Amino acid sequence: MGAFVEIVVDVPGIESLTYLWSGHDTIALGRIVIVPVGRRKTVGIVVGFSADAPVARERIRSVSAVLPVAPLGDDWLALTRFAANYYQHGWGEVAVGALPPLLRRVPHARARSPLLEPPSARTASSPPCAAASELPTLNSEQRQAVEAITNARGFVPFLLFGVTGSGKTEIYLQAIAECLRRQPDAQILLLVPEINLTPQTQQRLRERFPGAPVVALHSGLSATERTQAWRMAHQGHATILLGTRSAVFASLPRLALIIVDEEHDPSFKATEGVRYSARDLAVMRARLRSCPVVLGSATPSLESWRKAQDGRYRLLRVTQRAGPAAARPEPRLQCIDLRAEKPLKGLAPSVRTALQQTVAAGEQALVFINRRGYAPVVACDACGWLSVCARCAAFAAFHKTDGHLHCHHCGWSVPAPPRCPTCGNPALAAVGHGTQRIEEALEELLPGARIERIDSDTTRRRGEANARLAAVHAGHVDVLVGTQMIAKGHDFRRVTLVAVLNADAQLVAHDFRAPERLFATLMQVAGRAGRAGQPSRVLVQTRFPDHPLYAALAAADYTGFATQQLAERRAAGMPPFVAQALLTAQGTTMARALEFLSYARTVGHQLPGSDQVAIYDPVPMPLSKLAGVHRAQLLTESSSRRALQDWLSRWRAALRQTAGGGIRWHLEVDPMRI
């Protein structure tokens, strides 16, 4: 007779479909299958069974094939279902979308891939970790943190708050070692915010655990490599899975410990498709798996910090620097007042002198400016013309290396005009500074010095970022200039000077999260100095040297900064004291986008539960035009997360019934940027 199975597919608007299974064997929950949807076949996942057909039996189609992949676990299915419900997407969009590339494709008939072979038994491995006598000695705070993590039973969320240079990575490594000692077949998930952090971390893991397979999983790998890494984790062959945010969805049947390094980093929040937070899902996954989860940071997100203050997370403090850095105080942070020191080619006199002294002493310097290109904009002093992207409501930056204007939002590019397109003035001016221009200034200031630039322009080719970072670690670079890519997590042992340029741009940004992001960024980049114990300093160029944020940074007082920020957020009714969701609309004109959002606002007010939700007026997005598309947004919020979720599910269903008139819309829960 066959059985009826419920299957989710990656088709928006479809929650699940019923199919007939007429195979000789019983089909298991979590099996990956091929099913017909309309006139095509697609990949689906078995999520349930039905005793009766929901429609006439003759209308129910059969499962076409079952892929030779072991079933996905109950906890994995529960995680993807939670993510779908919370982030307001179909279960299939999340679950099937979380599969590796080659498993999301319908295989050709008769084709067999070694990546899809049935799982084999796990091979025996050599001793999984270094001998205890070889491990670095922990200080008392580190030891207490490791003991707390390894002695936890069941789900315990930890917030590991450690100052820069406090040895958080060593805590992770020894917690992993103890976990594997107690449970040799366990699997560990370690999430990092950026792809370029994986090589350094993977090397340390392999050195520490020579007998334990360490596998990396991130979007920088090819489709085949990602599928192979996923398969190793799914079959239990990967002992430690190291990855960026998408790895939170990897199948790990023996998962025993989750670690999220730099948990505050915005990169853990997806910005397209299903806009999930990997950090938050890591906590939920630990709950579903009943295992500990460690969120580590020197500057925790205010959401995590508040949960620790409320007792929902267990706070582990590490206030002492560890290893060689323990013998020296933290780097001195000094604000360079640009009102008193006029910069020359972007560098204040004090910074120029410090750079010369550092290079002369044979030490390394790091210059941080979070703007790539040569200059953010080209201007005409005669008529006021500015280099604006033809497709976006944004400036087009000048890149001197190729002589083009580039939009860093949509990729639009044209040769830089030799004269003003409006008035013909040949004396166009490059305004502001980017990494290229600072690199040029450093080459002039420091003749003969080995200067390296790391940003997304210099690291487009695969492996380029790793090669450039390796040169820094090997001491083949005197001055490193770059963007956020050089600020996060890198263990530069020779850097004694950090110079921060253009920090004020973020200080005066309109986003209420801007101070939190700036504090974290500056604390991170400052933490690259003095890691081997050398006397070191951090120089921040600013026109607001008396700002409380810089005072807190100079005192390394994250606790005071977080307390002040949370007080402001509470008084203003902002996250984490309210829950938010953002509806965005894209259209051919701004008027159409705003019209749709006005309609959505009216619909929202008519739904049950709207009395517990604030629905604000629609407005253009900060970047109101992107790649020729006009964009607007509508913010909703509630003091009750559950009330907001219940209302959002009704709102989403109601909006789905509307054609939208050519409007593309997206609902984002817990938006990071408004």
Side-chain angles (χ1 to χ4, degrees), residues 81-293:
R81 185 167 194 175
F82 168 83
N85 291 338
Y86 186 81
Y87 293 106
Q88 301 295 322
H89 281 267
W91 191 358
E93 292 179 77
V94 176
V96 178
L99 297 176
L102 298 187
L103 285 187
R104 296 199 299 266
R105 303 175 188 170
V106 177
H108 295 293
R110 301 179 182 276
R112 286 187 71 81
S113 165
L115 296 176
L116 302 182
E117 292 299 317
S120 56
R122 180 175 179 174
T123 56
S125 58
S126 55
C129 57
S133 59
E134 301 171 359
L135 299 179
T137 302
L138 301 179
N139 61 37
S140 60
E141 290 182 325
Q142 288 178 304
R143 187 170 58 254
Q144 289 169 11
V146 171
E147 290 173 352
I149 296 166
T150 56
N151 290 333
R153 295 295 176 264
F155 168 65
V156 182
F158 293 97
L159 178 60
L160 178 60
F161 171 44
V163 299
T164 54
S166 62
K168 291 186 291 295
T169 301
E170 187 59 37
I171 293 173
Y172 302 152
L173 293 173
Q174 297 211 19
I176 291 171
E178 181 61 18
C179 179
L180 294 178
R181 188 189 69 80
R182 297 183 183 185
Q183 187 180 339
D185 65 344
Q187 292 180 294
I188 286 87
L189 174 62
L190 173 55
L191 298 180
V192 293
E194 297 285 354
I195 292 174
N196 59 43
L197 291 176
T198 56
Q200 162 184 307
T201 308
Q202 190 171 19
Q203 180 180 353
R204 291 192 67 175
L205 288 166
R206 286 176 171 170
E207 290 172 352
R208 184 63 63 87
F209 307 102
V214 178
V215 175
L217 180 60
H218 53 74
S219 60
L221 303 174
S222 68
T224 299
E225 290 169 331
R226 290 169 66 186
T227 303
Q228 182 66 53
W230 186 93
R231 173 180 173 269
M232 289 186 68
H234 179 59
Q235 294 182 345
H237 296 322
T239 297
I240 303 172
L241 184 68
L242 169 67
T244 50
R245 64 173 177 251
S246 61
V248 75
F249 287 115
S251 174
L252 294 155
R254 291 189 290 272
L255 182 60
L257 175 63
I258 302 175
I259 299 169
V260 183
D261 192 25
E262 307 292 359
E263 66 87 28
H264 66 276
D265 199 288
S267 298
F268 283 122
K269 181 69 187 291
T271 56
E272 57 186 25
V274 182
R275 299 176 190 184
Y276 63 91
S277 164
R279 177 199 66 208
D280 296 346
L281 287 183
V283 175
M284 175 53 66
R285 184 161 196 182
R287 182 188 296 275
L288 294 169
R289 187 66 189 176
S290 190
C291 73
V293 57

Side-chain angles (χ1 to χ4, degrees), residues 578-600:
V578 297
Q580 294 182 330
L582 189 70
L583 179 66
T584 58
Q586 302 179 9
T588 54
T589 66
M590 180 58 69
R592 295 186 68 181
L594 291 172
E595 181 183 9
F596 172 79
L597 293 179
S598 295
Y599 163 78

Side-chain angles (χ1 to χ4, degrees), residues 49-78:
F49 306 97
S50 300
D52 301 310
V55 296
R57 184 184 179 93
E58 58 269 17
R59 294 179 56 191
I60 298 179
R61 306 169 79 177
S62 297
V63 174
S64 301
V66 179
L67 295 186
V69 178
L72 296 156
D74 292 345
D75 60 316
W76 189 91
L77 293 174

